[in-house]
Amino acid sequence: GHVCMTANRNAHVIVDILAEFGPTSTVRALPPERLVDTRGGASPTAGQVIRIEIPSDPDDAAAPPTDGGVIGNLTIVRPQGSGFATVYACDEERPTTSNINYRAGGTIANAVIAAPNDQGTLCVYTKAATEVVFDLLGTTGGGFDGVTPNRPLDTRR
């Protein structure tokens, strides 16, 4: 039940728990599908929330978009300032943890595992104005529990 981490230089360590996988959990890889790309349109502003609609299962259109969670790739492109982005179910309060941290001008990507709301919608909050790209890569079935993110370790404190 423990995880060990090693750094080759002095570093602060932050651990955020975003999900739990039970013994019956299944993961289904999907062909990558770009669900959000704000480049080329009106750029999101600082503090804006972007909605991501998760499509229904192509094998069972009557089923909800997912009975567990989604696995995706979140990319932050050319942020105008340093900040963070958080992915969460749209009907829940935004958690105090982040999925990705970024600095002005760069591009950075990170894997995301999150449980959408019952309508199959995720929200992305960005602290600083930035372009956002989200690619759907897979789903998790029953046995996945998207928990309210919490931070059990933060050595900066």
Side-chain angles (χ1 to χ4, degrees):
H2 292 83
V3 175
C4 296
M5 289 169 247
T6 303
N8 65 351
R9 295 186 174 191
N10 289 341
H12 286 290
V13 177
I14 298 172
V15 175
D16 292 335
I17 297 174
L18 304 173
E20 296 175 357
F21 292 88
T24 62
S25 179
T26 58
V27 175
R28 180 174 169 216
L30 298 172
E33 180 179 357
R34 181 145 297 161
L35 300 182
V36 169
D37 188 344
T38 63
R39 297 173 296 181
S43 295
T45 58
Q48 182 173 343
V49 174
I50 299 163
R51 297 176 70 82
I52 302 172
E53 303 296 328
I54 306 301
S56 295
D57 184 336
D59 297 329
D60 184 2
T66 178
D67 64 349
V70 297
I71 302 166
N73 189 67
L74 176 66
T75 305
I76 300 299
V77 182
R78 296 184 304 272
Q80 295 177 19
S82 295
F84 63 91
T86 301
V87 179
Y88 58 100
C90 289
D91 59 354
E92 295 181 5
E93 192 171 321
R94 178 173 53 90
T96 58
T97 58
S98 62
N99 293 93
I100 196 166
N101 299 300
Y102 51 84
R103 292 182 186 224
T107 297
I108 188 169
N110 197 22
V112 170
I113 302 173
N117 64 16
D118 290 341
Q119 292 74 42
T121 306
L122 288 171
C123 283
V124 180
Y125 167 86
T126 58
K127 174 76 171 167
T130 185
E131 302 293 347
V132 174
V133 177
F134 185 84
D135 298 323
L136 179 64
L137 304 176
T139 61
T140 67
F144 167 82
D145 183 18
V147 298
T148 300
N150 68 76
R151 181 166 288 165
L153 176 65
D154 185 345
T155 63
R156 299 174 301 174
R157 297 180 196 162

